[in-house]
């Protein structure tokens, strides 16, 4: 079981989402995590591009904008990890951050 689930809610985040996912991919070996992207009915191409460039992540596609909280709750229902990180799509994760976070929580 992975110790961390990362939940990202996307709504037309464009390049921000792609940068965020690229940063998570770079640190993926440091602390294996489940990454969920919940799309709240985006009308830009952010979800399409994310799925093409980062197919190993999990995606939940909403037909309507459920809002920030409800979208994260969809991930909480699926998570089997000890910890969950809610991450905005305009964030980038640097090396060492996730392992430090989990060590601190332990």
């Amino acid at each position: 079981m992975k110790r961390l689930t990362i939940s990202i809610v996307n709504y037309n985040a464009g390049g921000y989402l792609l940068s965020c996912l690229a940063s998570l991919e770079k640190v993926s070996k440091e602390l294996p995590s489940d990454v969920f992207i919940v799309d709240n009915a985006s009308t830009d191409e952010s979800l399409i591009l994310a799925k093409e460039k980062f197919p190993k992540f999990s995606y939940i596609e909403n037909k309507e904008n459920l809002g920030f909280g409800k979208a994260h709750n969809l991930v909480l229902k699926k998570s089997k990890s000890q910890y969950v990180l809610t991450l905005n799509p305009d964030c980038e994760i640097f090396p060492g951050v996730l392992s430090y976070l989990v060590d601190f929580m332990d």
Side-chain angles (χ1 to χ4, degrees):
M1 174 175 61
K2 295 179 182 168
R3 296 179 61 212
L4 180 67
T5 295
I6 300 170
S7 177
I8 302 167
V9 174
N10 178 54
Y11 180 69
N12 295 328
Y16 289 116
L17 176 64
L18 300 178
S19 295
C20 178
L21 298 180
S23 74
L24 289 171
E25 187 173 66
K26 286 180 189 173
V27 300
S28 63
K29 290 184 178 154
E30 173 187 321
L31 181 73
S33 306
D34 290 320
V35 178
F36 286 88
I37 297 89
V38 182
D39 186 75
N40 267 340
S42 293
T43 57
D44 67 358
E45 293 187 351
S46 57
L47 179 64
I48 295 166
L49 294 172
K51 288 171 77 173
E52 286 175 6
K53 292 184 179 189
F54 307 100
K56 73 175 191 174
F57 297 142
S58 300
Y59 296 88
I60 299 171
E61 297 180 51
N62 294 327
K63 295 187 187 312
E64 61 182 313
N65 188 340
L66 299 180
F68 185 78
K70 275 189 175 182
H72 279 300
N73 283 340
L74 295 174
V75 175
L76 289 174
K77 289 177 185 176
K78 293 180 176 285
S79 175
K80 295 181 171 94
S81 300
Q82 185 177 6
Y83 302 114
V84 177
L85 170 64
T86 58
L87 191 65
N88 286 342
D90 61 347
C91 294
E92 292 185 27
I93 300 297
F94 294 100
V97 170
L98 296 178
S99 56
Y100 180 83
L101 174 71
V102 169
D103 288 345
F104 178 81
M105 295 300 293
D106 285 342

